Amino acid sequence: ALSKAGFHDYNRQKFDYETAYIALSSNLVTNWYDLAYSYESEKILKERIELARKEVALLKQRYQRQRAKLVDLLSQQSSLKQMESDLEAVKYQKELYKNSLSALLGKSPLEFNLNTIPSLPEKMPKQIGSVSSEVLLKRPDIQADLESLKAQDRRVAATVSAQYPRFSISASVRQSDITLNNIFENWSSSIVASLLAPIYDAGSREADVKIAINKRRELIFNLKKLLVEAAVEVANAIKSIETKQKSYQIAKQQLLIAQKKEQS
């Protein structure tokens, strides 16, 4: 049982390594595309700000000629200030993503230079409906917890087994003692010794069993918790993709409207 527990521990360590690898890869990809999104947002905002400034100048001229209302001019100036504020926020986020990438790659932010400017793909990814439970169960962190549970199952079996005496006839009988009476005497004394041995620490062994069983319950609880968290993570990731897509499309539409207003 303990040998099998060690085998499951070895598997758990392999899955822990895979989990770390996937987590690092995921963080790199996420920060890279967040950085790309920041670049696109910055470009769109700069174009919108340029168009908004032209519109403010035009409204000032029209207001001076009493062909526009003051409220329209103030509203446009307010929109311009909001866009300038949004631009500063995007620039700040861009630096944060750069610093995150440099840290994940083990470099100092001052040494980190992008060889190419990140850009979003021309075709946006299709919407993901849901993720099946079979996919969740393939996650290495869940597999690692499952292997820990299997290992603990074996340890519970070993602690339960350790409560009971073990004896061997062959170990207590010598070749020169092969007579019926001698075998019986040696064998019986061997059993008595084996039966008496665990009595002195019976309480300790019983406590070991309870500890092992409680540890197993804890691992089951942690596995259930991890499954719930994994499902929530997937749902949040899908929602994040949808939200970013919508906000990016809205930003492009706002730019298009501003360009039409400029033409008008």
Side-chain angles (χ1 to χ4, degrees):
L2 290 175
S3 296
K4 289 178 180 178
F7 175 75
H8 289 303
D9 284 335
Y10 170 72
N11 282 341
R12 178 187 58 78
Q13 289 173 352
K14 287 202 301 183
F15 285 123
D16 283 342
Y17 173 78
E18 288 181 25
T19 301
Y21 179 83
I22 290 173
L24 176 60
S25 302
S26 172
N27 285 333
L28 280 167
V29 172
T30 300
N31 279 280
W32 177 265
Y33 278 104
D34 281 338
L35 184 59
Y37 179 79
S38 297
Y39 270 101
E40 291 288 330
S41 298
E42 183 182 26
K43 185 171 72 174
I44 289 173
L45 272 170
K46 283 180 177 178
E47 291 181 34
R48 286 185 60 202
I49 286 170
E50 189 62 31
L51 293 171
R53 284 172 179 164
K54 290 180 181 180
E55 189 167 353
V56 167
L58 177 62
L59 281 171
K60 281 182 179 178
Q61 290 178 3
R62 295 186 68 193
Y63 174 70
Q64 289 169 357
R65 298 173 185 173
Q66 296 184 344
R67 295 179 62 185
K69 296 179 181 178
L70 179 61
V71 66
D72 294 333
L73 175 59
L74 294 175
S75 176
Q76 185 58 30
Q77 286 178 330
S78 176
S79 297
L80 175 60
K81 290 298 178 186
Q82 182 60 51
M83 281 186 277
E84 289 174 345
S85 174
D86 292 342
L87 180 60
E88 291 304 314
V90 167
K91 287 180 178 178
Y92 173 73
Q93 288 178 342
K94 189 172 71 172
E95 292 305 314
L96 284 181
Y97 296 136
K98 281 184 179 179
N99 289 343
S100 296
L101 280 170
S102 65
L104 289 168
L105 294 171
K107 297 181 179 180
S108 167
L110 298 175
E111 299 173 355
F112 181 67
N113 290 315
L114 290 170
N115 295 325
T116 56
I117 296 176
S119 60
L120 293 175
E122 293 181 6
K123 290 185 178 180
M124 301 297 279
K126 293 180 181 179
Q127 275 194 336
I128 304 168
S130 61
V131 175
S132 65
S133 58
E134 287 81 5
V135 175
L136 287 181
L137 290 173
K138 289 178 181 177
R139 281 178 45 150
D141 53 343
I142 291 175
Q143 290 286 341
D145 271 28
L146 195 56
E147 289 296 327
S148 291
L149 180 57
K150 289 177 181 178
Q152 189 61 26
D153 276 340
R154 299 296 181 181
R155 290 193 181 93
V156 169
T159 53
V160 170
S161 174
Q163 289 184 105
Y164 302 102
R166 299 181 186 86
F167 55 87
S168 170
I169 299 175
S170 60
S172 61
V173 178
R174 293 181 301 228
Q175 188 68 26
S176 60
D177 295 331
I178 304 297
T179 64
L180 184 59
N181 290 333
N182 286 342
I183 288 176
F184 177 77
E185 289 173 5
N186 290 331
W187 179 66
S188 62
S189 62
S190 175
I191 291 177
V192 170
S194 296
L195 286 172
L196 290 173
I199 292 176
Y200 297 111
D201 60 347
S204 173
R205 296 192 182 198
E206 186 180 357
D208 288 342
V209 172
K210 290 180 179 178
I211 291 170
I213 291 173
N214 287 332
K215 178 66 176 176
R216 182 180 180 278
R217 287 173 181 162
E218 181 187 342
L219 288 172
I220 291 172
F221 174 78
N222 288 339
L223 182 59
K224 290 179 179 179
K225 181 183 174 186
L226 185 59
L227 283 167
V228 172
E229 288 174 353
V232 171
E233 280 180 11
V234 170
N236 289 343
I238 293 171
K239 189 64 180 175
S240 176
I241 291 170
E242 292 175 353
T243 303
K244 289 251 177 163
Q245 284 181 346
K246 287 178 182 177
S247 60
Y248 181 63
Q249 294 300 330
I250 288 170
K252 289 176 72 176
Q253 289 171 4
Q254 289 173 331
L255 177 60
L256 184 63
I257 291 168
Q259 288 170 341
K260 286 181 179 180
K261 283 173 73 176
E262 183 196 30
Q263 292 172 1
S264 175

